[in-house]
Amino acid sequence: MDSALLYDRLQFAFTATFHYLFPQLTMGLALLLLYLRSRVLLTGDDHYEEVADFWTKVFAINFGFGVVTGIPLEFQFGTNWARFSNYAGGVIGQTLAMEGTFAFFLESSFLGILLFRKRFSRRVQWFATLMLFLGTWLSGYFILATNAWMQHPVAYQVGEDGRVFVTSLSGLLTNPWLFWQFAHNMTATVVTASSVVAAVGAYYLLSRQYLSHARTFLCTGVVAGAIASGLMIFPTGHGNADQVFKYQPIKGAAFEGLFRTERKAGLYLVGQPNLETMTIDNPIEIPGVLSFLVYNDLYAKVQGLDAFPRDEWPDNLPLLYYAYHVMAGLGTIFALLFGAALLSLWRGRLFNMKWLLWWLMLCAPFPYIATSAGWMTAELGRQPWLVYGLLRTSHGTSPLVHSGNALFTLIGFLGLYLLLGLLFVLLVSKVIRQGPGSSGASEMRAHHGTSL
């Protein structure tokens, strides 16, 4: 691979992955905030208002860092991927512009109301939260519509100059690839937010602070997490996999490690891909399951990588295979963990089960790993195409940006984002130390020394 292309890809991969650490929490947290503000409006309970105010602060910090790290991504379309922008700008420019014009301004405007919420009534705060939720999820929709077109191009026409442009805006926004991608992605954001909310609640309980708030955090996070983690597997995960095998069968074969076309294709739980022998080493396989999942038939034939030209295979099969299995494995763990927590909550035991509280607290980073692995699966699996079937990745770079330039900016982003990451951790840690509610400090002192 050309070194400039390699550094361009590494830079975009790093900046996109780092950026997505922030909006995935804000998108999921927006839904939980809407629930909390609804409880405030319906019950008038100051306790839920304190909980909602606490998570609004966390939301605002994430939103700010998401904006700062998101802007360089769009600049890279011009600096590092100029030929791609010239080729596909008539399509992706539509959705990216709508995201900035409609969704971003919607969420940023109403977030401002929530940051000065004490000046407004609870009805206005609830409406602002509703608009914030709509803005964040609409933002996700437009961004995913852009990616969905790159995965499965629709509603376009190639002009005389070789560039593509939109023939139907409604067709672009109703891309059949987009439905399951949006559903799966947004469900994943709820898993992330639920994990963080439950983890902070578990931390407060284990440290014997803000106990009433901690119980609300846990109840909210565990119930939402259990529902979302179940939906992650079915129907959203299953629907996503179905469309991969339908529209991108090479990707499907690659992330399942299916090198050869076969009937009664098995599902590999673990194993290591061996490119020399075109086999999976040390496999643990469930026979026939892949055929059944894809075609609802244990004996159906599933196309392997051998059915496709070698130059159309993803260029990093081992990394793609491992990324997919990390995502799927962690998704299964989340379902089991939240399922156990929900059962314990229903039985009235969760708040006293220290071992489970520790698991809920320590597992908070893992949804971020799972979503990063999921995006690696989607993007690595699309290779060698930048726009699937239309434009190869090697043809989308900026011809005047050489390897030294790309490496220099990559190193710069690594250093800058390290500092941003440390600043983010300090700010969120400060909010957690301050705790929820104006009466939080007195509550902490009153409960200090009380056993769980």
Side-chain angles (χ1 to χ4, degrees), residues 129-194:
T129 307
L130 174 62
M131 293 297 103
L132 184 70
F133 164 72
L134 292 176
T136 54
W137 281 51
L138 193 60
S139 177
Y141 187 85
F142 287 132
I143 295 297
L144 290 172
T146 307
N147 185 265
W149 185 82
M150 296 168 66
Q151 299 282 354
H152 180 63
V154 297
Y156 71 93
Q157 184 173 331
V158 181
E160 294 181 358
D161 57 0
R163 295 184 293 181
V164 294
F165 58 89
V166 176
T167 58
S168 170
L169 183 59
S170 62
L172 179 65
L173 296 178
T174 57
N175 188 337
W177 187 278
L178 178 58
F179 174 79
W180 286 118
Q181 185 181 26
F182 179 75
H184 191 61
N185 184 86
M186 302 312 287
T187 305
T189 68
V190 178
V191 173
T192 299
S194 300

Side-chain angles (χ1 to χ4, degrees), residues 348-380:
R349 301 176 182 176
L350 176 62
F351 303 142
N352 299 313
M353 299 178 69
K354 288 188 176 182
W355 67 270
L356 189 52
L357 294 176
W358 273 103
W359 272 107
L360 287 170
M361 183 176 69
L362 295 177
C363 283
F366 286 92
Y368 292 96
I369 298 173
T371 53
S372 298
W375 274 109
M376 288 174 65
T377 301
E379 301 306 288
L380 289 170

Side-chain angles (χ1 to χ4, degrees), residues 115-339:
L115 292 178
F116 296 95
R117 55 193 171 275
K118 298 303 181 183
R119 301 182 181 182
F120 300 96
S121 68
R122 286 176 172 175
R123 289 182 180 274
V124 173
Q125 292 179 41
W126 178 87
F127 180 75
T129 307
L130 174 62
M131 293 297 103
L132 184 70
F133 164 72
L134 292 176
T136 54
W137 281 51
L138 193 60
S139 177
Y141 187 85
F142 287 132
I143 295 297
L144 290 172
T146 307
N147 185 265
W149 185 82
M150 296 168 66
Q151 299 282 354
H152 180 63
V154 297
Y156 71 93
Q157 184 173 331
V158 181
E160 294 181 358
D161 57 0
R163 295 184 293 181
V164 294
F165 58 89
V166 176
T167 58
S168 170
L169 183 59
S170 62
L172 179 65
L173 296 178
T174 57
N175 188 337
W177 187 278
L178 178 58
F179 174 79
W180 286 118
Q181 185 181 26
F182 179 75
H184 191 61
N185 184 86
M186 302 312 287
T187 305
T189 68
V190 178
V191 173
T192 299
S194 300
S195 297
V196 172
V197 171
V200 175
Y203 166 73
Y204 282 150
L205 274 184
L206 290 168
S207 59
R208 301 169 187 173
Q209 303 177 71
Y210 315 107
L211 299 187
S212 62
H213 299 87
R215 293 187 182 99
T216 302
F217 290 0
L218 274 169
C219 291
T220 303
V222 165
V223 173
I227 295 172
S229 58
L231 293 174
M232 281 287 293
I233 298 173
F234 186 87
T236 68
H238 180 70
N240 241 341
D242 274 351
Q243 72 180 11
V244 165
F245 278 94
K246 180 179 181 181
Y247 297 115
Q248 295 184 2
I250 306 176
K251 178 195 288 189
F255 66 54
E256 291 289 358
L258 189 66
F259 287 99
R260 293 179 175 84
T261 301
E262 59 183 86
R263 293 188 181 275
K264 200 178 180 180
L267 183 71
Y268 292 108
L269 299 181
V270 295
Q272 303 84 46
N274 187 329
L275 297 182
E276 295 182 1
T277 61
M278 298 298 174
T279 58
I280 298 294
D281 293 340
N282 309 309
I284 296 179
E285 179 186 6
I286 307 176
V289 172
L290 182 59
S291 292
F292 180 77
L293 290 175
V294 176
Y295 298 110
N296 296 318
D297 182 355
L298 282 172
Y299 295 92
K301 181 170 70 174
V302 182
Q303 287 183 307
L305 289 168
D306 62 349
F308 307 99
R310 185 66 182 263
D311 65 347
E312 293 186 7
W313 291 13
D315 51 22
N316 198 329
L317 281 170
L319 184 57
L320 171 59
Y321 173 87
Y322 290 128
Y324 170 74
H325 281 79
V326 166
M327 175 196 67
L330 287 176
T332 304
I333 291 173
F334 299 150
L336 294 174
L337 176 62
F338 280 118

